Amino acid sequence: MDGVIEGFVTVDPRSGYLDQIVVAPEFWGSNVAAMLLDACKRLSPARIELLVNKDNARAISFYEKHGFAMAGDDVNPVSRRPVNRMRWRG
């Protein structure tokens, strides 16, 4: 599919903070999210941290499957929703 954006990710390689990982709905269930996460791990090989909404069981399961662990509770600074802080160590 030439010219189709399947997804994108934003990560700060200095801090290891993964701000967004987005996959187009037509690619859900494919390996796009895993490939984007692998790119994050290459950019920030020591650690990655992220916030995930507590009610997003699908995302939490995905991150756990890819080596992330719970690192505490937090509040999203924008939405003010309760979130889990998750962390991966390389």
Side-chain angles (χ1 to χ4, degrees):
M1 297 177 88
D2 291 349
V4 174
I5 296 175
E6 296 177 14
F8 69 89
V9 64
T10 59
V11 62
D12 182 339
R14 293 175 305 239
S15 69
Y17 182 71
L18 191 164
D19 185 54
Q20 296 182 68
I21 186 167
V22 178
V23 176
E26 60 267 30
F27 295 98
W28 290 357
S30 72
N31 66 343
V32 172
M35 290 171 45
L36 292 170
L37 197 52
D38 287 345
C40 287
K41 291 177 178 180
R42 286 191 301 276
L43 289 169
S44 184
R47 73 179 184 286
I48 298 172
E49 277 201 16
L50 58 88
L51 299 176
V52 61
N53 290 336
K54 286 186 172 287
D55 61 358
N56 193 343
R58 183 176 183 196
I60 292 167
S61 176
F62 170 80
Y63 291 121
E64 289 175 334
K65 177 181 171 184
H66 291 278
F68 284 75
M70 295 295 180
D73 297 322
D74 212 329
V75 174
N76 182 296
V78 176
S79 70
R80 309 304 303 159
R81 292 178 66 185
V83 293
N84 293 324
R85 181 171 294 279
M86 296 188 78
R87 183 177 298 136
W88 171 84
R89 298 260 185 220

